[in-house]
Amino acid sequence: MKKLKLIGTALAVSCIAFAAGCSGADKEASGNGDESVAVVLKTLSSPYWKYVEAGAKAAGKDLGVDVTVVGPSAESEVIQQVNMLEDQISQSPGAIVVAPSQPETVVPVLETASQSDLPVLLIDSDAEFAGKTSFIGTENHTAGIEGGKLLASMLQKGDKVVLISGALGNPATDDRIKGAKEALEEAGLEVVAEQPGDSDKTKAMSVMENILQKNGDVKGVFAANDDMALGVLRAVEAKGNDIKVIGTDGTEEAVESILDGKLAGTIAQSPYNMGYQGVENALKAIKGEKVKERIDSGIDIITTENAEEKLEFLKSISK
């Protein structure tokens, strides 16, 4: 893996150097290089990231900006994301918006890009590097705390609970798990298992099946995204257990599950706004306007009480 990271970084330096040498000619030929924004997401295979994509493209249409959105086949495909990032940078966009799956792997590429005066904005997952223009997204630790509190409110002190995290090294899901764990332990609940579900429905179902074999008396589960929460739910329903499951993201499928009385709740992000604001602020950076270093896109706690309203909104942006 270290060798792949080094190769990826070396390729990035070569691509960016090439892009820097050719950017003037490319932009002059296309006539709109300065007004283009490249958006590189963690994946395009899940509903959550489709909402981000929809927001980014809507901003492009509203603001008259050429927006390109790409993402690997799965969040775990870190090297594929790095390759896509390098490819987009080599095409000399006016700015780049990135949701890094594994920050330590992509930071060298982003640092080199920012050194060539390319505005780099991060959405969903933050990363520390010199030259970053802005971070736009949910305070994931806070989202986790709220998820833990919600689950604790449905259980009794001393009950056993499980945490299902995302792919190893994913800062967004890691922070959510840390926050949830803090809230659950503070409420007097016992965390008996913490396993990665790789932000994948099938993997999470398999992981939960294994956990239930050893811990049949679990009363609640917090999952770091909704796909995993729905996978956990399948395993729980197959066993016939009464287990409260809380997800994160607020996807349409999750909200429908809440309305059906299955999923207990979800901590909803604003992925559409995240994508929209990413492009909107990228354009500001291209024009030399001031951009806030950190923009909180906020969260909503979704239960049966407000799920119908949330579902109507999600359906309106997915048309």
Side-chain angles (χ1 to χ4, degrees), residues 8-309:
T9 304
L11 283 171
V13 173
S14 299
C15 289
I16 294 165
F18 175 80
C22 301
S23 61
D26 288 346
K27 289 176 182 178
E28 186 176 347
S30 64
N32 65 351
D34 287 337
E35 296 291 302
S36 65
V37 177
V39 180
V40 183
L41 303 180
K42 294 181 184 181
T43 184
L44 288 177
S45 65
S46 75
Y48 176 83
W49 294 107
K50 288 293 185 182
Y51 297 144
V52 179
E53 180 185 21
K57 289 184 174 179
K61 183 178 180 181
D62 291 348
L63 303 172
V65 184
D66 181 16
V67 175
T68 300
V69 183
V70 298
S73 56
E75 288 192 33
S76 56
E77 295 292 341
V78 178
I79 299 303
Q80 188 182 359
Q81 187 188 46
V82 171
N83 293 337
M84 288 180 164
L85 181 58
E86 292 168 351
D87 178 61
Q88 290 303 313
I89 291 172
S90 73
Q91 296 180 47
S92 302
I96 191 154
V97 177
V98 188
S101 293
Q102 195 177 83
E104 64 267 28
T105 306
V106 301
V107 158
V109 183
L110 299 178
E111 284 181 333
T112 309
S114 64
Q115 287 168 9
S116 64
D117 295 327
L118 176 67
V120 177
L121 296 86
L122 300 184
I123 59 173
D124 184 77
S125 298
D126 201 5
E128 294 302 321
F129 66 94
K132 177 176 61 179
T133 302
S134 180
F135 166 70
I136 302 165
T138 304
E139 295 295 347
N140 287 296
H141 185 261
T142 301
I145 289 175
E146 292 301 327
K149 286 180 178 178
L150 180 60
L151 180 57
S153 72
M154 302 174 179
L155 303 176
Q156 301 295 321
K157 188 174 182 179
D159 282 347
K160 295 180 180 180
V161 294
V162 169
L163 298 171
I164 304 296
S165 59
L168 294 175
N170 183 325
T173 52
D174 285 351
D175 285 348
R176 293 171 197 171
I177 291 297
K178 288 176 185 176
K181 190 173 186 178
E182 288 174 16
L184 290 166
E185 290 181 341
E186 187 175 336
L189 299 168
E190 182 185 356
V191 178
V192 294
E194 182 178 336
Q195 296 289 331
D198 292 350
S199 296
D200 180 80
K201 194 180 294 181
T202 303
K203 174 72 179 290
M205 180 177 69
S206 176
V207 167
M208 192 63 199
E209 286 171 344
N210 292 333
I211 290 173
L212 288 174
Q213 288 179 359
K214 298 179 180 179
N215 299 278
D217 54 350
V218 166
K219 297 297 182 183
V221 181
F222 172 80
N225 84 352
D226 281 339
D227 277 353
M228 292 190 294
L230 292 165
V232 165
L233 193 63
R234 288 180 183 175
V236 169
E237 289 177 334
K239 280 282 187 180
N241 295 24
D242 180 18
I243 298 175
K244 304 297 184 184
V245 182
I246 302 294
T248 322
D249 284 342
T251 64
E252 190 171 325
E253 187 179 3
V255 177
E256 287 176 340
S257 180
I258 293 171
L259 287 171
D260 289 339
K262 297 179 179 180
L263 204 63
T266 182
I267 307 303
Q269 299 193 80
S270 302
Y272 181 88
N273 291 342
M274 219 178 279
Y276 196 103
Q277 292 175 334
V279 171
E280 182 180 41
N281 285 279
L283 182 58
K284 288 182 179 179
I286 290 170
K287 294 180 176 179
E289 298 175 13
K290 185 174 177 60
V291 177
K292 290 183 180 179
E293 293 182 2
R294 197 170 189 88
I295 300 171
D296 184 1
S297 55
I299 57 173
D300 289 317
I301 299 170
I302 308 298
T303 62
T304 52
E305 294 179 1
N306 58 351
E308 188 65 50
E309 181 182 353

